[in-house]
């Protein structure tokens, strides 16, 4: 009987150890989307997505773990690199919401972008996500948060006009409760324009949180919201986010 009790205790102990999970060793996430018009309206230009998805909308860039001190982990596990077979059921949605506008080279290659996002950022969050849940979480936030509609409802439209940086941030804050970070680039004339939006999430990517810091220094007080590119105006060159 004593042996049975000990054996049972050891089995229970092993189950507790196996089922316990250590908390993430980073502090929060940036969930980042980009506006294709800002890539195509830059000095470097862009190229259309290979699947022909030309829907006017913000596109997912990625989900990036961050530390509160302004640094971040990267390329954490070379033994678990991107495997498209693990997200095969998500590919059709990713081709619509996570499209490639020349992030790496023309012609565009979505798989390279997805591979880069997992290998650089996803491998550092395996205490929270496997490959499938990492990409699924990105898609779910994209479905939950329609940034273009949020901005349009406040009269902020991709018409090539200038809008206040605080006006854009406040429009999104009204929708999610927290101000985002805004990253700008420059058009061919040197005008600062809306490029990427950074939404901060807790370190389990479940809730919106206040951003400990945001990359707003690249913007002016008023920034351009460039028009969505027309297919016949697209160049054949690298985009501005190839190193991100």
């Amino acid at each position: 009987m004593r042996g049975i009790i000990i054996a049972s205790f050891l089995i229970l102990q092993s189950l507790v150890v196996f089922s316990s999970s250590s908390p993430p060793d980073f502090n929060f996430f940036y969930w980042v989307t980009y506006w294709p018009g800002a890539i195509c309206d830059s000095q470097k230009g862009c190229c259309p997505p290979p699947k022909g998805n030309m829907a006017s909308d913000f596109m997912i860039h990625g989900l990036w773990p961050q530390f509160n001190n302004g640094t971040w982990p990267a390329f954490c596990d070379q033994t678990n690199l991107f495997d498209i077979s693990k997200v095969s059921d998500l590919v059709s949605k990713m081709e619509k919401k996570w499209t490639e506008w020349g992030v790496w080279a023309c012609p565009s290659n979505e798989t390279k972008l997805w591979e880069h996002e997992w290998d650089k950022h996803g491998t550092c969050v395996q205490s929270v996500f496997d490959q499938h849940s990492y990409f699924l979480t990105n898609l779910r936030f994209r479905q939950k948060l329609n940034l273009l509609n949020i901005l349009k409802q406040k009269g902020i439209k991709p018409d090539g006009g200038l809008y206040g940086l605080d006006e854009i941030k406040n429009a999104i804050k009204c929708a999610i409760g927290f101000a985002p970070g805004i990253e700008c680039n420059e058009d061919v004339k040197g005008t600062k324009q809306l490029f990427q939006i950074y939404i901060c999430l807790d370190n389990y990517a479940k809730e919106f949180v206040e951003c400990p810091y945001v990359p707003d220094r690249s913007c002016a007080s008023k920034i351009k919201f460039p028009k969505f590119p027309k297919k016949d105006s697209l160049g054949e060159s690298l985009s501005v986010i190839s190193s991100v």
Side-chain angles (χ1 to χ4, degrees), residues 24-29 65-69 201-204 209 212:
D25 58 358
F26 51 91
N27 300 114
F28 69 100
F29 280 104
Q66 303 288 309
F67 298 121
N68 284 336
N69 64 5
L201 309 173
D202 71 292
N203 60 357
Y204 287 94
V209 297

Side-chain angles (χ1 to χ4, degrees), residues 114-125:
W114 304 334
E115 177 183 342
H116 175 77
E117 291 305 303
W118 171 259
D119 291 353
K120 181 177 181 178
H121 305 290
T123 56
C124 301
V125 299

Side-chain angles (χ1 to χ4, degrees), residues 77-111:
D77 185 359
Q78 295 300 302
T79 68
N80 186 22
L81 300 178
F82 179 69
D83 181 353
I84 197 167
S85 69
K86 294 181 178 180
V87 296
S88 58
D89 61 314
L90 303 177
V91 167
S92 62
K93 292 182 179 179
M94 290 162 64
E95 288 174 346
K96 295 177 181 177
K97 304 300 183 183
W98 208 327
T99 56
E100 160 76 279
W101 283 83
V103 175
W104 296 104
C106 293
S108 300
N109 185 334
E110 265 121 5
T111 304

Side-chain angles (χ1 to χ4, degrees), residues 28 30 67-68 200 209-214:
F28 69 100
Y30 279 141
F67 298 121
N68 284 336
C200 290
V209 297
E210 190 77 43
C211 290
Y213 57 89
V214 289

Side-chain angles (χ1 to χ4, degrees), residues 1-198:
M1 176 64 72
R2 184 171 179 273
I4 294 174
I5 293 173
I6 293 174
S8 299
F9 174 77
L10 291 174
I11 292 172
L12 178 61
Q13 187 180 48
S14 67
L15 288 173
V16 170
V17 171
F18 179 78
S19 62
S20 65
S21 58
S22 58
D25 58 358
F26 51 91
N27 300 114
F28 69 100
F29 280 104
Y30 279 141
W31 182 64
V32 186
T33 60
Y34 72 92
W35 181 248
I39 299 174
C40 300
D41 198 21
S42 68
Q43 292 283 355
K44 294 185 177 181
C46 67
C47 56
K51 301 298 182 180
N53 179 22
M54 296 291 293
S56 177
D57 214 338
F58 284 92
M59 299 297 161
I60 299 169
H61 191 165
L63 187 62
W64 306 344
Q66 303 288 309
F67 298 121
N68 284 336
N69 64 5
T71 64
W72 56 88
F75 300 106
C76 297
D77 185 359
Q78 295 300 302
T79 68
N80 186 22
L81 300 178
F82 179 69
D83 181 353
I84 197 167
S85 69
K86 294 181 178 180
V87 296
S88 58
D89 61 314
L90 303 177
V91 167
S92 62
K93 292 182 179 179
M94 290 162 64
E95 288 174 346
K96 295 177 181 177
K97 304 300 183 183
W98 208 327
T99 56
E100 160 76 279
W101 283 83
V103 175
W104 296 104
C106 293
S108 300
N109 185 334
E110 265 121 5
T111 304
K112 287 292 185 182
L113 175 58
W114 304 334
E115 177 183 342
H116 175 77
E117 291 305 303
W118 171 259
D119 291 353
K120 181 177 181 178
H121 305 290
T123 56
C124 301
V125 299
Q126 293 181 82
S127 60
V128 182
F129 299 120
D130 58 20
Q131 289 197 37
H132 188 273
S133 59
Y134 176 81
F135 287 96
L136 180 60
T137 298
N138 275 277
L139 290 170
R140 284 177 172 170
F141 272 103
R142 177 60 187 79
Q143 183 178 10
K144 179 179 182 179
L145 198 59
N146 191 323
L147 290 169
L148 185 58
N149 281 350
I150 289 171
L151 294 176
K152 283 182 174 180
Q153 288 172 6
K154 296 295 184 178
I156 303 168
K157 302 176 182 179
D159 54 8
L162 294 177
Y163 297 93
L165 177 62
D166 288 340
E167 183 183 1
I168 294 171
K169 294 173 69 174
N170 287 336
I172 297 172
K173 183 178 181 179
C174 285
I176 67 173
F178 300 100
I182 303 294
E183 181 182 355
C184 296
N185 65 359
E186 295 183 354
D187 67 10
V188 293
K189 296 181 180 180
T191 303
K192 297 288 187 178
Q193 59 183 0
L194 176 60
F195 173 30
Q196 298 200 112
I197 296 178
Y198 291 64

